[in-house]
Each structure stands twice: as structure tokens, then as C-alpha cells.
Amino acid sequence: MATHLITGAGSGIGEAVARRLHARGDELILVARDAGRAKELATRFPGAGTLVADLAEPDRISWALGHQTMPDRLDSLLHVAGVVDLGEVGELTTKTWHHQLDVNLVAPAELTRLFLPQLRVSQGHVVFVNSGAGLAAHAQWGAYAASKHGLKALADSLRHEEHAAGVRVTTVYPGRTASPMQAKVHAQEGKEYDAARWIDPESVATALVMALDLPRDAEVNDLTVRPGR
């Protein structure tokens, strides 16, 4: 039975991945931004552990986790949580920039740093759920794309650094996926949202779990998942 630490398990891709791993009997440790959210996740995934840490405040993550019981073993660290706020570079405030960079890039870097000792012991797996915006930036996506381009660099560097320790690193680049985040994006774009047009989170979860389950003689470095419709 493997142990997975997951961010973003409350909705979308993170929830689909957590549900898939929970159903097959793996042990879950779910990161929540506050105690109330942690209680909700524990109810939704019976038997799962929780850790409270606000990804929007990465400078406080180490302090927050230092007051909680940390896992002795970790087979995978799955960075799925993310935020998006669209806007032209000429209009974006520093607050908007910091929020996206903190949640999408700095917090994953800090969580990875804190849990690397456990991942090295188990020769575990770090998975970063990125975005198509991590490969190409378009108008009004500057801050989000910058955070995701940075996340790609983080994953690539980590892969080179930890290869000798046996830690695998995978980046998943989903296209537009039916989720609360996508509904928010459509609202910001002033477009009607139709979930049926986009990737089902379960499909991304299938791809991600495939990368986790790949035998040790191979490693998925980068995995792009695009809408099939």
C-alpha cells in the first residue's frame, strides 16, 4: 500500500486522483488550507490523514507543518492545487502576481523541500500538475503562465538533482479540464461555460495514475493531455 500526499484534493483533478487512489486502498494525506477544510476532506475520504497548510502563505508552511504529525514514509507527492486570475500585464497588480506565484510555484517548491527526505528513503515520485499555459503563454494569461513556466523549471531541475537518489519526477500538462477553475476562467473571459466541451478530470487522473504505476525501469518525464473533442 502506497502513501500519497496530495494538494488540491477538494475539487477537479485533485479530487479525481484522490478518489482513484483511495478506492484502491492506498493511504492518503491531504493538504487543506484550514481546519474546516481538513475536516471536510477527512469526511469525504474516510481513513485519510490531513495536514493544514495555506499554500497562499508559503513562508508559513514549514512552521504550520512543524506543529503537526508528519508521515514517516511517502511514496508520492502530488502537487495538484492551483489558482488562476487572468488580466493584461499592464493591469495586473503585484497582489495578483504574488498570489499566483505563491500558490502555483513557491508553495510546491517549499512542500517538495520539506518532504524530500521521506521521498528519498522510499525512492518516491513527485508529480506536478502543470497546464498548457506552462508551455505557451497567451494574452491575459501572463501571471498564471509565468507561474506554470516556473513550475516546469522547478520540475526539470528537481529531476536532474534527484535522479541519483531514485526519486522520479513527472509533469502533467492538462489542457482545459472541466472543473471549478475552468468555470472561473470562462467567467473571467466572458464566455459561456460548457463542461462537456472539456477534458473530464477522471481522464487526467487516469493519465497521472499511469505515470505513478509505471514500473521502476521507466519514468514519465512530461505528459501532455489535450481535449479529445
Side-chain angles (χ1 to χ4, degrees), residues 76-80 125-129 168-172 208 211-212:
S76 80
L77 172 57
L78 310 180
H79 298 288
V80 191
H125 202 147
V126 183
V127 178
F128 297 91
V129 174
R168 298 196 291 188
V169 179
T170 297
T171 295
V172 182
L208 192 155
L212 283 179

Side-chain angles (χ1 to χ4, degrees), residues 1-228:
M1 181 176 65
T3 300
H4 311 278
L5 193 149
I6 308 173
T7 71
S11 64
I13 295 170
E15 182 181 13
V17 170
R19 189 166 53 246
R20 187 76 58 87
L21 297 174
H22 184 261
R24 73 184 196 181
D26 286 1
E27 183 175 348
L28 304 184
I29 303 170
L30 308 176
V31 178
R33 63 177 174 268
D34 55 43
R37 189 65 163 168
K39 185 176 180 179
E40 291 176 17
L41 291 173
T43 300
R44 193 181 309 175
F45 299 98
T50 59
L51 290 172
V52 176
D54 188 349
L55 303 186
E57 297 184 356
D59 291 344
R60 295 179 58 82
I61 290 176
S62 179
W63 177 88
L65 295 182
H67 290 75
Q68 301 172 74
T69 302
M70 300 281 275
D72 295 325
R73 176 184 175 84
L74 202 58
D75 295 287
S76 80
L77 172 57
L78 310 180
H79 298 288
V80 191
V83 295
V84 59
D85 282 295
L86 304 186
E88 295 184 359
V89 173
E91 299 174 352
L92 291 171
T93 65
T94 56
K95 181 178 180 180
T96 302
W97 276 97
H98 281 299
H99 183 55
Q100 293 181 86
L101 289 169
D102 283 346
V103 174
N104 297 345
L105 175 58
V106 182
E110 176 66 349
L111 284 173
T112 300
R113 180 183 74 85
L114 294 171
F115 287 104
L116 263 178
Q118 292 94 320
L119 290 162
R120 287 168 178 157
V121 168
S122 64
Q123 294 191 319
H125 202 147
V126 183
V127 178
F128 297 91
V129 174
N130 199 296
S131 165
L135 299 172
H138 300 283
Q140 299 193 357
W141 289 80
Y144 181 75
S147 72
K148 292 298 189 175
H149 274 67
L151 193 66
K152 178 185 185 301
L154 168 61
D156 291 346
S157 294
L158 182 68
R159 186 178 300 111
H160 289 295
E161 292 166 1
E162 298 299 325
H163 179 75
V167 176
R168 298 196 291 188
V169 179
T170 297
T171 295
V172 182
Y173 299 93
R176 294 204 179 205
T177 303
S179 66
M181 177 184 283
Q182 192 57 231
K184 177 182 178 181
V185 167
H186 275 67
Q188 292 180 357
E189 293 176 325
K191 297 177 181 178
E192 183 179 350
Y193 175 60
D194 179 5
R197 293 184 59 196
W198 308 117
I199 305 169
D200 190 313
E202 292 290 343
S203 298
V204 181
T206 297
L208 192 155
V209 172
M210 177 277 294
L212 283 179
D213 291 345
L214 199 67
R216 293 293 312 185
D217 64 330
E219 173 184 1
V220 175
N221 292 166
D222 298 287
L223 181 59
T224 300
V225 184
R226 306 301 301 171

